Amino acid sequence: MHSKFFSNLVASQNFPFYVTGALFLILFGIGSVMFDSFFSLQVFLNLFIDNAPLIIVTVGITFTILSGFGGIDLSVGAVVSLSCMTLAVLMRDTSISPYVCMAIVLLIGIVVGLVNGLLITYFRLQPFIVTLGTMFLCRGFTAILSRDSVPISNDAYSELAFYSFEFGEYFLSLGSVIALSMVVIATLILRYTSFGRGVYAIGGNEQSARLMGLKTDSIRVRVYIISGFCAALGGICYSWIMLSGYTLHGLGMEMDAIASSVIGGTQLMGGVGFMPGTLLGVMIQGTILTIISFQGTLSAWWTKIVVGLLLCLFIVMQALVNSHKNKLMNQIAEGSVKADKK
Amino acid sequence: MENLVKKFTSSSLALPLVALVILLLFNAFFVNDFFKIEVMDNGNLYGRPIDILYRASSLIILALGMTFVIATGGIDISVGAVVAISSATCCVMLGGDISGVPHHPFFIAIIASLCVGVLAGIWNGTLVAKFKIQAMVATLILMTAGRGIAQLMTDGQIITVYYKPFAYIGGNIPGIALPTAMIIALLMICLVLFLDKKTSIGLMIQSVGINANAARYAGIKVTAVLFAVYIFSGFCAGTAGLIEGSLIRAADANNAGLNMEMDAILAVTLGGTLMVGGRYYIGGTIIGAITIQTLTTTMYAIGVSSDRLPAVKAVVILMIIVFQSEKFKEMYRNYKLKHQNNGGSKEASNA
């Protein structure tokens, strides 16, 4: 009885999510035991505040991974950098209102996503190569706008950056609230809209999705547009933290986002993934960073090594879970054959 | 003659070659003395063409390993990090004594670096071949952790090596005119061509890439082939790491081999090898790597700064992959057919 419960748990759809959640609790628990002031609501909330851009970017990249066909968006880090730089340069050289600047930046993100999506669907090119190209393109454009760091010194914009939602002694920044609402919206879209179900469908099996009458190309283009939009929005949140534009902003962010997504239970083959899991994936990385900064003597490279180890753990776990599921499926199939014979 | 042209345009090497020729022509007209090769006082050759081949060496080596990996339908995005680990290993073994006395003999340091590369390959190979994990995810682990490991080895410092012979790998061995990196790259190319033409390994790799199940039924040890391919890629990364470390005579864990995995993948794709696996083109890969380096050198020559370079690179790459795509070829064929029909000429009826 016990083993059957365990077997069903492993085979359940949300098993990776439970593991990620448990791991997050363990990591946070380790931090709380090790350091006196670690266990507080504000340390927890800081995870959202510090990682708001990464959360938003990860939401976008998860859409592309879910859509299958080797789906991935490597351009997100570069789009973050381009967004910061565009904001900084626009506010320095023109007197356009910051809100219009932000709209322009979001539009840039959408255009980059549209270009990615069209190249991938129309010419049937590999997402990896296409988004690698647009990644180089966006990094290059950022440097063309300015090679030096450009500070953002617009008063109205700084006010937005420092805007915080206070409740009692605790607070959340505007960026973190946007990030959390993006996770909620994305979860709802994936769960309850036909578009969201379509994303899972083309990720699971594109052929059968097409035979079912889904417009696979249109769904895929929209997925990349969402990713571009999220990257630009992430860029805006990043600029609220940095208050500057620089060519090296968001360097390697795409890999952090992919790692978070995988730790959160998304399978890179597409079709399997749970959005709140990716939020936990980002928070696990954030917790490791927080523990290291509380410890004080450990160096930052330990983050990379620990994240690598966690990735390894999750990937091997996914492989084992998948083989277990296959075994269970075979058992069920055999069982039905036996039942037929009777 | 017409046949020859047709044969050339339909071959997979055509597009990368044409791109390279266009780049070289551009250089011939706009950059002074581009093709001039001088002999320096110490007998070394010097000039832009040599410089391009010299700088492209480590990229060629990485891309060779990557070609085999991509041919099996996989990908190895950890090579950049392995380059960092390998160069860190060599520098740590030699030590940063200002007197120039190495801590360990030079050849042991070299062997250690190569072993580290092979070890990384074994790790990747185990995950991909044994655990059947998707190649991109499997190599993502080492890509994330690799630079951390390299920094751990160097203690976060940039170790500068004062031992003189270390500079020979990235520079010139005294008395030999060609840069050592070029010679290493040539040797690697010879090795790969030998494996490809004289043994059945190439065929096995292709069949694994086209259909792993069918290959297994045909009696090919798929696991062993996958394993070998990743080990070779790791070995290539180890070699490239030695060159990269020697170029700056230091171990820079953060920047050694940064984004090199992306350049290597691009070189392979430009050479006409498809990311889905199957047929691969060693010649195309080499030309692809040289094209990327020529583009870089050209842009530096006309005064584009290193951080703006990616924009130009991206436009060229996106153009080439669109031209290579099946859809574009189909569009071109349709366009030609339409043209012929409109003319109603003899050619159409002959065709």
Side-chain angles (χ1 to χ4, degrees), chain A residues 106 113 147 153 175 197 229 278 316:
Chain A
L106 290 178
R147 294 186 62 190
S153 49
R197 308 310 301 168
F229 173 82
T278 61
V316 172

Side-chain angles (χ1 to χ4, degrees), chain B residues 256-270:
Chain B
L258 193 66
N259 281 339
M260 270 189 111
E261 61 276 353
M262 303 299 174
D263 276 345
I265 294 165
L266 280 180
V268 176
T269 334
L270 289 189

Side-chain angles (χ1 to χ4, degrees), chain A residues 262-279:
Chain A
V262 170
I263 292 178
T266 313
Q267 289 199 8
L268 278 184
M269 278 169 279
V272 181
F274 186 46
M275 202 50 93
T278 61
L279 172 67

Side-chain angles (χ1 to χ4, degrees), chain B residues 64 68 188-197 232 282:
Chain B
L64 286 175
F68 283 145
M188 292 294 274
I189 291 172
C190 290
L191 173 70
V192 167
L193 284 180
F194 172 77
L195 288 177
D196 184 37
K197 302 281 179 207
F232 184 66
I282 301 286

